[in-house]
């Protein structure tokens, strides 16, 4: 029983591969290494004592994907492979649409032809936009995301829902809030190529002296300290939710198909300044920062209602913000040791 | 100055190719013949006395598309190539998303890399769903279409708008209402493969005895005679609008790019029963019909406000419903003569 994990050497992908292997699944990774590094594969093997199959190619290459399905008895897919930088997506929309949609649709063609079910899709809370009330549950009306990145996620959801309905297949759309942190082994973590797009890797690199100062984009939002509020969730908890969602799909005998949708968050919001302070406290380091003008497209507040995942997946986030941020610093130390 | 016309042997495509050739454009057609026939090319040549370049391949084949751009100085594209059957799109969503999105994105990659502007997209009034008030102008809020076909149109619009913004290119989204009719020469027309999906071809085949009876899907809608109301526009008028939209884009010297959006309709609504009666009157034939239950997804009423196209393109529909329906019957007679 093999599970195809696309983007399986990426940030959330690699943590999920570890959880899958620890739960007895065979794993086949396809990752083109465009936003990941090969040593992650070795680290996964060290952590788990198991060897996932690995194919380094771009999922737009249909004929290679077909060979993977020919070679392995694939019974499900967790699809992490996607470009994910919001700012870049605005500058390179055609590449984002091409990469994120072609890879998804090429896999669905194989699923369709081979009668495979069980597809898990990395979606994002960006599909809610600035929701009218907090916390955000799964019935919150969707708004067309402003970014091209966000639109590829919303389109991906639509395509998968239509796929599940037409062919009676089982899918799960997991809407991530803000995954942070690194593996407790400090051998896996977020590996930004170039200047980080997300807060926590930037905080990490600033604390390490790689970046001079953290830019905080606006402190005049309508929140207690003026900085935007997000729901930061530990990446290993996110990874475990994927296994739970996959097991639920695989156990479901419904012949009509299944369309599961879950928010993955903690249910608690933290402001940017709170994250910076928590990082400093947790790791006893300093993070110099400066307040900059607001960044276009940033919303004020978003945190999840996570009752549905708890009820249906028997899953919830177990790791505190401080604990998550400690793993980040251990990961930075590991990266330092690799470079020295 | 060559214009790429994808799906150029299809219904609206072939009429537009004729108008382009008559207006002095060089035309390069790519059409995979999946929903069109080769004799249309010969007929285009007979009508215009000119020879468009023709390549028979599927636009998903990127490497062939690249060769076309290498071989011709393409300065614009009118993109008709798409699957278009609403019912079928629900049953085969993956094929619809693949075909309609890949072909669009593959062309945009070539446009992006070669610095080409001027892209005209076949959109549809389906992006408005059941609008709250009539007539529908271009500022009417969009609703996520219910059908996969409609979603591919809405996604195509989004992709093109992001393309135009990011790369400062010029695009025109033409939202067709209900194109009908055939070329005055009776050498081009709608050529449904199998059972027709649209009203007028079904009426035509029923009058010709190919279908026993026309099914009218519901007569209990909230309209005068109980049947749904649409805005039927003559296909040659639609084709002329494409030339006008292309000329506007090509004349626009803006360096910021252009995003044009136009409804193509007559501004007048006609019910299904009115169309049937008009066809009978115009052609002095009988169209037997029966009332059936409503069909899922059909809206009650949709007709266009076409002021914007008239103002900005100096274009409007000139042909009456009766005249359009006469051309349909001439087209059927032509098809009969071909088969005998």
């Amino acid at each position: 029983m093999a599970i195809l994990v696309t983007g399986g050497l990426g940030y959330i992908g690699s943590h999920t591969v570890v959880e899958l292997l620890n739960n007895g699944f065979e794993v086949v990774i396809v990752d083109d290494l465009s936003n990941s590094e090969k040593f992650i594969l070795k680290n996964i093997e060290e952590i788990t004592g198991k060897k996932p199959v690995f194919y380094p190619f771009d999922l737009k290459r249909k004929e290679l994907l077909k060979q993977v399905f020919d070679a392995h008895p694939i019974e499900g897919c967790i699809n992490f492979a996607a470009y994910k930088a919001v700012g870049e997506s605005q500058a390179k929309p055609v590449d984002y649409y091409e990469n994120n949609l072609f890879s998804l649709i090429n896999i669905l063609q194989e699923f369709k032809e081979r009668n495979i079910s069980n597809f898990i899709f990395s979606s994002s809370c960006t599909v809610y936009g600035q929701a009218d009330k907090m916390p955000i549950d799964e019935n919150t009306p969707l708004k067309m995301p402003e970014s091209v990145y966000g639109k590829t996620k919303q389109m991906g959801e639509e395509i998968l829902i239509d796929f599940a309905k037409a062919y009676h297949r089982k899918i799960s759309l997991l809407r991530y809030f803000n995954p942070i942190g690194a593996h407790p082994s400090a051998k896996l973590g977020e590996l930004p190529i170039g200047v980080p797009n997300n807060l926590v890797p930037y905080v990490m690199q600033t604390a390490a002296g790689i970046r001079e100062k953290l830019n905080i984009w606006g402190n005049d939002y309508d929140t207690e300290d003026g900085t935007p509020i997000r729901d930061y969730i530990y990446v290993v908890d996110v990874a475990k939710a994927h296994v739970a969602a996959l097991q639920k799909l695989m156990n479901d005998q419904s012949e009509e198909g299944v369309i599961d949708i879950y928010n993955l968050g903690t249910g608690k919001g933290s402001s940017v300044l709170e994250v910076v302070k928590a990082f400093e406290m947790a790791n006893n380091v300093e993070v110099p920062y400066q307040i900059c003008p607001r960044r276009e497209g940033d919303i004020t507040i978003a945190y999840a209602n996570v009752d549905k995942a708890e009820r249906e997946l028997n899953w919830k986030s177990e790791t505190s913000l401080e604990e998550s941020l400690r793993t980040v610093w251990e990961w930075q130390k590991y990266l330092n040791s690799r470079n020295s």
Side-chain angles (χ1 to χ4, degrees), chain A:
Chain A
M1 186 183 306
I3 303 300
L4 174 64
V5 182
T6 73
L9 300 187
Y11 175 43
I12 305 172
S14 60
H15 288 85
T16 301
V17 167
V18 165
E19 296 304 317
L20 287 169
L21 292 169
N22 285 343
N23 280 276
F25 289 94
E26 300 287 320
V27 173
V28 177
I29 295 172
V30 176
D31 192 311
D32 69 356
L33 299 168
S34 65
N35 198 17
S36 59
E37 293 203 26
K38 189 73 186 295
F39 77 86
I40 294 295
L41 182 65
K42 190 178 60 64
N43 289 9
I44 289 171
E45 292 170 6
E46 285 177 14
I47 293 167
T48 62
K50 294 178 183 169
K51 244 180 133 57
V53 180
F54 171 58
Y55 294 100
F57 69 83
D58 183 330
L59 290 158
K60 293 196 287 296
R61 299 185 63 184
K62 245 183 131 138
E63 70 292 357
L64 294 180
L65 185 61
K66 205 174 280 296
Q67 288 172 21
V68 171
F69 278 88
D70 285 341
H72 303 278
I74 288 172
E75 298 200 28
C77 173
I78 309 184
N79 183 36
F80 294 105
Y83 292 160
K84 60 179 184 178
V86 172
E88 187 185 60
S89 77
Q90 300 303 98
K92 298 179 170 182
V94 181
D95 295 330
Y96 268 68
Y97 285 118
E98 181 183 61
N99 190 68
N100 293 5
L101 298 181
F102 284 27
S103 56
L104 172 63
I105 290 170
N106 285 344
I107 300 167
L108 293 184
Q109 284 289 19
E110 296 300 324
F111 265 52
K112 188 195 82 182
E113 282 162 25
R114 295 167 197 263
N115 241 315
I116 308 173
S117 202
N118 307 315
F119 194 101
I120 296 190
F121 181 64
S122 300
S123 189
S124 163
C125 62
T126 191
V127 299
Y128 299 117
Q130 178 59 73
D132 295 330
K133 64 179 176 46
M134 292 297 132
I136 297 168
D137 68 24
E138 291 83 354
N139 294 319
T140 302
L142 304 189
K143 294 184 182 160
M144 177 65 82
E146 287 192 18
S147 76
V148 170
Y149 162 75
K151 285 186 225 180
T152 67
K153 290 300 173 189
Q154 199 190 45
M155 291 177 185
E157 288 198 356
E158 285 293 328
I159 291 168
L160 277 160
I161 289 169
D162 291 322
F163 165 78
K165 283 184 185 163
Y167 306 109
H168 308 293
R169 307 297 168 89
K170 296 179 281 180
I171 65 160
S172 199
L173 310 177
L174 302 184
R175 294 178 179 158
Y176 309 156
F177 280 66
N178 294 67
I180 59 167
H183 196 263
S185 66
K187 288 181 177 176
L188 306 176
E190 194 162 1
L191 202 66
I193 311 288
V195 180
N197 291 294
N198 294 331
L199 175 64
V200 170
Y202 211 110
V203 166
M204 173 181 96
Q205 293 195 354
T206 306
I210 300 169
R211 310 282 156 201
E212 203 189 335
K213 267 182 185 158
L214 170 70
N215 296 320
I216 294 183
W217 306 101
N219 66 348
D220 56 349
Y221 285 88
D222 184 19
T223 62
E224 203 154 319
D225 64 24
T227 61
I229 288 174
R230 298 287 182 275
D231 184 339
Y232 296 93
I233 176 166
Y234 184 48
V235 64
V236 176
D237 292 338
V238 172
K240 287 177 177 166
H242 287 74
V243 178
L246 179 64
Q247 286 168 332
K248 175 176 181 298
L249 290 187
M250 292 182 121
N251 290 334
D252 194 314
Q253 301 303 318
S254 153
E255 294 191 354
E256 282 304 290
V258 175
I259 298 169
D260 280 342
I261 302 179
Y262 300 110
N263 287 342
L264 301 185
T266 65
K268 186 176 165 304
S270 306
S271 75
V272 172
L273 279 173
E274 283 169 352
V275 171
V276 173
K277 295 298 162 201
F279 189 92
E280 291 183 326
M281 292 281 284
N283 299 308
N284 198 23
V285 290
E286 218 183 318
V287 179
Y289 67 83
Q290 58 186 359
I291 305 296
C292 303
R294 287 184 181 206
R295 196 168 51 176
E296 206 191 344
D298 277 350
I299 59 173
T300 301
I301 183 164
Y303 60 93
N305 175 320
V306 290
D307 293 350
K308 191 176 172 210
E310 185 171 353
R311 197 170 57 241
E312 298 189 5
L313 299 179
N314 195 23
W315 167 91
K316 66 177 187 178
S317 158
E318 291 164 339
T319 314
S320 69
L321 179 63
E322 290 68 23
E323 181 53 30
S324 305
L325 293 173
R326 261 194 291 277
T327 64
V328 173
W329 193 231
E330 293 304 317
W331 168 241
Q332 180 62 50
K333 289 185 202 161
Y334 170 78
L335 291 176
N336 290 343
S337 73
R338 272 182 57 84
N339 291 334
S340 63

